[in-house]
Amino acid sequence: MTCIVLTSALSLGQLCRVSVNQSIRSTGMGLSCVKELQHRTLSCFAQNQSGVLKHTHKHTEGSTGGWSQTTLSNERRTVVGGGTRGLFGRGGGGDQPKQTLEDVARRIRERDHCRIVVMAGAGISTPSGIPDFRSPGSGLYDNLQQYDLPYAEAIFEINYFHHNPKPFFALAKELYPGNYQPNATHYFVRLLQDKGQLLRMYTQNIDGLERMAGISPSKLVEAHGTFSMATCTVCRREYPGEDLRADIMSGTVPKCSACKGIIKPNIVFFGEELPHNFLLYLTDFPLADLLLVMGTSLEVQPFAGLVGAVRGSVSRLLINRDPVGPFSGGALRHNDVAELGDVVGGVRKLTDVLGWTQEMEALMAADRKKQQSPVCHLLGHLRNGT
Ligand SMILES: [Zn+2]
């Protein structure tokens, strides 16, 4: 099984460098990639010649995805697996009983699921008010207009950063940990952690809300990096993210005290290596006994491809506004469940079915109180290394 995972992920990485069309034909990962063709291929992670996973991207017209925010609907839909054989691992058999949200909840409650892997994207951050820097009308978008970016994603391109780091630092000022509060989706994962049932959370978000919700850095893979640490772009000296806070908040580009080079928060730019702990997926996904996918368009590779890296017998629960990846078409497995609609609403429904609502409310209330205390706020930053 490990071999299958390796093959899948590596081929995905390599294919990203070639073309999305080829990745559809060769891997069948396709439905997320079809979307990429229809819209803009926001980004993909590709493996370079030396075998290092890197963050790359292409542009076409009319993007959605990535951080993009779309109108949340209150409509709720639960879709269960169609029994079609999955393309990674063993798929579902047509004769096997369909799984429901209640089935998944029961197995979580009875601790049959104790190695849960969570994959999350922008859709869990938008309910906290994280703005989309590509959405006209959002304060952040308007703020970035003054920098005359050639295109929105240039903000995450290292060459552009060297040319003009100011737009990135304007974004950093907005997203720096402390401006926004985690929501029920983050606290649900925290509950899984507290109950000893979280194997790992893989997030595409860079807002640090997972850490703020108390998810341990050892349980987190921040695939697109973090503001909790920063590195001098010249001498590679490392700095705690908190050391940059004053400069970033005052609109000053932070400079290295040793060499005066620009210090860049450890956010993964296009073409940069993924964080080393991303490689934990090699052991995490084969070990997982439940995959929970929340708030992601599954358009960024190889992150998106991980959804196919769990064993075929493992349930995959999607809580998302729309069906995405294998949940949107023929690669659905019999044990897949999709809870569609507002993401926070979906998580709250699952929490409710689990009978955890009271516990989660208490946890959120306690954390809110803690975050209002200046001393604890500081302690929280120290604990999280931010
Ligand atoms: Zn330096």
Side-chain angles (χ1 to χ4, degrees):
M1 197 59 221
T2 307
C3 284
I4 291 170
V5 173
L6 272 164
T7 305
S8 309
L10 294 185
S11 58
L12 273 173
Q14 288 157 348
L15 286 160
C16 275
R17 281 190 295 125
V18 186
S19 79
V20 176
N21 262 325
Q22 279 176 306
S23 87
I24 292 169
R25 283 198 297 272
S26 308
T27 71
M29 276 317 292
L31 290 157
S32 61
C33 290
V34 168
K35 268 194 157 177
E36 290 182 45
L37 282 173
Q38 287 169 341
H39 304 293
R40 166 166 28 189
T41 301
L42 172 70
S43 60
C44 65
F45 286 92
Q47 189 180 21
N48 71 359
Q49 303 287 353
S50 62
V52 178
L53 288 166
K54 285 193 173 184
H55 191 187
T56 62
H57 74 147
K58 301 173 179 180
H59 302 289
T60 56
E61 291 307 309
S63 169
T64 61
W67 288 14
S68 65
Q69 162 68 317
T70 39
T71 312
L72 290 174
S73 152
N74 289 326
E75 184 194 355
R76 300 228 57 76
R77 292 160 284 161
T78 303
V79 178
V80 296
T84 307
R85 183 168 293 274
L87 288 155
F88 286 86
R90 294 183 303 279
D95 298 335
Q96 298 191 45
K98 307 280 189 284
Q99 304 292 301
T100 64
L101 185 73
E102 286 71 20
D103 293 329
V104 174
R106 179 176 41 77
R107 289 197 300 269
I108 295 174
R109 195 171 47 240
E110 292 174 357
R111 303 185 66 81
D112 284 343
H113 294 321
C114 279
R115 297 186 305 273
I116 301 173
V117 169
V118 178
M119 293 171 64
I124 71 163
S125 291
T126 43
S128 287
I130 303 283
D132 174 14
F133 72 94
R134 288 189 304 253
S135 282
S138 76
L140 187 52
Y141 176 91
D142 296 337
N143 193 14
L144 291 175
Q145 289 309 297
Q146 62 178 297
Y147 298 108
D148 211 14
L149 283 165
Y151 42 88
E153 285 78 10
I155 204 164
F156 291 124
E157 288 186 352
I158 198 71
N159 288 340
Y160 189 83
F161 178 84
H162 289 310
H163 164 71
N164 181 12
K166 286 185 175 171
F168 172 76
F169 282 109
L171 178 76
K173 181 178 178 181
E174 179 68 28
L175 291 183
Y176 226 63
N179 287 352
Y180 297 92
Q181 300 303 313
N183 60 58
T185 62
H186 303 95
Y187 282 104
F188 180 76
V189 183
R190 161 82 184 278
L191 261 190
L192 291 176
Q193 171 187 277
D194 290 358
K195 290 174 182 291
Q197 290 171 272
L198 177 68
L199 179 58
R200 205 90 58 196
M201 179 182 195
Y202 288 73
T203 181
Q204 295 170 291
N205 301 328
I206 58 171
D207 45 56
L209 295 183
E210 295 86 1
R211 289 176 186 238
M212 276 190 75
I215 298 165
S216 160
S218 68
K219 289 287 181 186
L220 261 183
V221 172
E222 294 159 309
H224 293 187
T226 169
F227 284 108
S228 66
M229 289 299 292
T231 307
C232 170
T233 52
V234 178
C235 74
R236 311 305 298 169
R237 181 172 171 172
E238 293 202 328
Y239 291 85
E242 202 56 26
D243 286 10
L244 278 60
R245 180 181 288 275
D247 277 346
I248 287 177
M249 290 305 147
S250 67
T252 308
V253 173
K255 297 278 175 65
C256 176
S257 56
C259 76
K260 303 297 173 202
I262 296 173
I263 308 171
K264 181 174 103 34
N266 290 359
I267 301 301
V268 179
F269 278 31
F270 297 119
E272 288 192 314
E273 284 180 33
L274 302 191
H276 290 148
N277 69 351
F278 186 81
L279 290 172
L280 285 169
Y281 83 90
L282 290 170
T283 48
D284 284 351
F285 280 73
L287 276 174
D289 54 18
L290 173 68
L291 179 65
L292 171 58
V293 183
M294 301 192 296
T296 172
S297 53
L298 289 180
E299 288 181 339
V300 180
Q301 298 293 1
F303 190 93
L306 294 180
V307 79
V310 290
R311 290 166 291 146
S313 58
V314 168
S315 290
R316 302 182 297 187
L317 169 60
L318 174 75
I319 301 180
N320 207 38
R321 191 174 52 84
D322 300 307
V324 290
F327 294 88
S328 61
L332 204 63
R333 300 173 182 172
H334 82 278
N335 46 5
D336 287 340
V337 180
E339 180 63 29
L340 303 177
D342 168 43
V343 175
V344 168
V347 167
R348 285 198 176 279
K349 180 176 171 186
L350 175 60
T351 311
D352 203 40
V353 177
L354 279 162
W356 291 0
T357 297
Q358 235 181 342
E359 201 176 343
M360 193 156 93
E361 290 302 332
L363 180 64
M364 290 176 75
D367 243 38
R368 269 196 297 270
K369 207 168 160 187
K370 216 162 54 180
Q371 279 158 13
Q372 280 162 9
S373 150
V375 174
C376 290
H377 190 69
L378 179 63
L379 286 175
H381 281 304
L382 290 173
R383 179 190 63 199
N384 292 329
T386 58

